[in-house]
Amino acid sequence: MIRKVCIFAPFYSFAGRSMMNYYEKIIPRQVQLYLFCRTEDKLKFNLSRTTIVPYREGKFGVRKPLRKFCKQKGIDVLTNLSRREKVAMLMIYSTIFTKTKVLFYDHGNPKKKNLLVLFFLQFFLDRLLFCSPDITAKAKKFLFFSRHKIFYLPT
């Protein structure tokens, strides 16, 4: 059973805040939510039940603090608010050889270049979530090794 979920936000966006408000509504109350975000973005999210964990390192220095946090808190699932492939690689690094599962949420229409990177990352990700049924179908065609890992997540 999933008890702790950490959501990684490399930067603040209004869409990310809306997604966090949505997650607070749909994720059961017994699941602890953590938001791992930059220190300067901490107050912008304004969430009610999510514990906000700020980090101070630059973009490339977040790997170690995120990995350490996931190990210390025993995070069951790590997911994201940004669709960049670099974020997927960072999440894989932060959870490799741990019990934490990685759910990569890709919102937006992926380009072939993005799908090519995801083609290689699909072997390390536990789930790939997409924001629309047609993009999910497109991803299932291209990422044929991981069809069973690809899901549609409505927002």
Side-chain angles (χ1 to χ4, degrees):
M1 182 174 166
I2 296 172
R3 296 176 193 257
K4 296 180 181 181
V5 174
C6 180
I7 300 157
F8 174 59
F11 56 86
Y12 173 80
S13 70
F14 182 75
R17 188 178 80 189
S18 298
M19 287 171 57
M20 282 304 302
N21 290 332
Y22 176 68
Y23 288 155
E24 284 189 332
K25 290 178 187 173
I26 66 166
I27 294 176
R29 288 268 179 212
Q30 64 267 24
V31 176
Q32 287 181 309
L33 289 174
Y34 296 95
L35 176 67
F36 202 82
C37 67
R38 296 183 310 178
T39 305
E40 57 265 20
D41 297 337
K42 181 180 176 181
L43 297 175
K44 295 178 184 175
F45 278 99
N46 193 20
L47 302 167
S48 59
R49 69 174 260 226
T50 303
T51 304
I52 298 177
V53 181
Y55 68 89
R56 292 194 179 167
E57 284 77 12
K59 289 181 182 178
F60 301 107
V62 70
R63 290 184 296 239
K64 288 181 183 177
L66 182 58
R67 182 174 178 81
K68 183 178 177 183
F69 175 76
C70 289
K71 284 176 119 179
Q72 282 179 345
K73 291 291 185 180
I75 299 296
D76 298 314
V77 174
L78 176 65
T79 189
N80 61 304
L81 290 180
S82 172
R83 69 175 291 264
R84 296 186 177 137
E85 293 75 26
K86 292 176 187 176
V87 172
M89 291 176 63
L90 185 136
M91 290 168 46
I92 290 167
Y93 170 80
S94 298
T95 59
I96 198 159
F97 304 122
T98 66
K99 294 180 182 180
T100 304
K101 295 191 182 288
V102 178
L103 306 181
F104 182 68
Y105 180 57
D106 194 342
H107 46 86
N109 193 359
K111 300 173 186 169
K112 291 223 184 225
K113 178 183 144 191
N114 300 4
L115 284 174
L116 186 61
V117 173
L118 283 177
F119 182 81
F120 294 106
L121 296 178
Q122 71 183 326
F123 302 107
F124 300 100
L125 298 169
D126 295 295
R127 294 278 189 267
L128 291 142
L129 309 172
F130 292 92
C131 65
S132 74
D134 59 329
I135 294 172
T136 304
K138 182 179 177 181
K140 282 185 178 184
K141 281 184 185 177
F142 192 78
L143 305 173
F144 47 87
F145 289 117
S146 298
R147 285 188 181 127
H148 64 284
K149 295 180 179 181
I150 298 172
F151 296 94
Y152 163 58
L153 178 69
T155 53

